[in-house]
Amino acid sequence: MDEALKENILGALETVVDPELGVDIVNLGLVYDVDMDEQGKTEVKMTLTSMGCPLAGTIVEQVKNALYDIPEVKEVEVNIVWSPPWTKDRMSRIAKIALGIQ
């Protein structure tokens, strides 16, 4: 996958907002990696802010819907991982400002 396509995918993922925090999953640092094979199968490796997140299913569906708008994406697999664990240090400066975190 070339860098332009990866940036396009990450841009699409920025439209997926964590409903509890009101900030997108990319700027929250929840997306760890994205990859696509030659057939267009796209894998998103991501985490959630907590293991017991009640909206996990909703977020996964929003990720899939956002990526299916990209013509190169033929299939989406979302892998929720817990290692490394998410911390606020993974958040972008934009997310920290939006949430009032120093």
Side-chain angles (χ1 to χ4, degrees):
M1 175 172 54
D2 66 24
E3 280 304 308
L5 180 55
K6 187 170 187 172
E7 287 299 315
N8 194 16
I9 289 171
L10 290 173
L13 292 175
E14 285 181 343
T15 68
V16 178
V17 175
D18 181 299
E20 293 180 309
L21 298 176
V23 177
D24 71 86
I25 62 173
V26 174
N27 279 296
L28 282 174
L30 299 179
V31 177
Y32 289 173
D33 193 26
V34 294
D35 194 29
M36 179 188 290
D37 67 17
E38 294 80 27
Q39 288 75 40
K41 182 177 180 183
T42 306
E43 179 184 5
V44 178
K45 186 164 97 174
M46 63 176 290
T47 194
L48 301 167
T49 55
S50 68
M51 280 192 183
C53 178
L55 299 170
T58 300
I59 293 171
V60 167
E61 283 307 308
Q62 289 177 354
V63 165
K64 290 180 179 182
N65 290 336
L67 294 186
Y68 282 131
D69 287 340
I70 299 171
E72 295 88 350
V73 174
K74 306 301 180 203
E75 184 181 344
V76 178
E77 181 179 332
V78 179
N79 291 321
I80 304 293
V81 298
W82 302 109
S83 181
W86 179 85
T87 67
K88 66 181 180 182
D89 295 333
R90 293 192 52 84
M91 294 168 55
S92 72
R93 188 172 79 71
I94 294 167
K96 288 178 181 176
I97 290 169
L99 296 174
I101 297 172
Q102 299 270 341

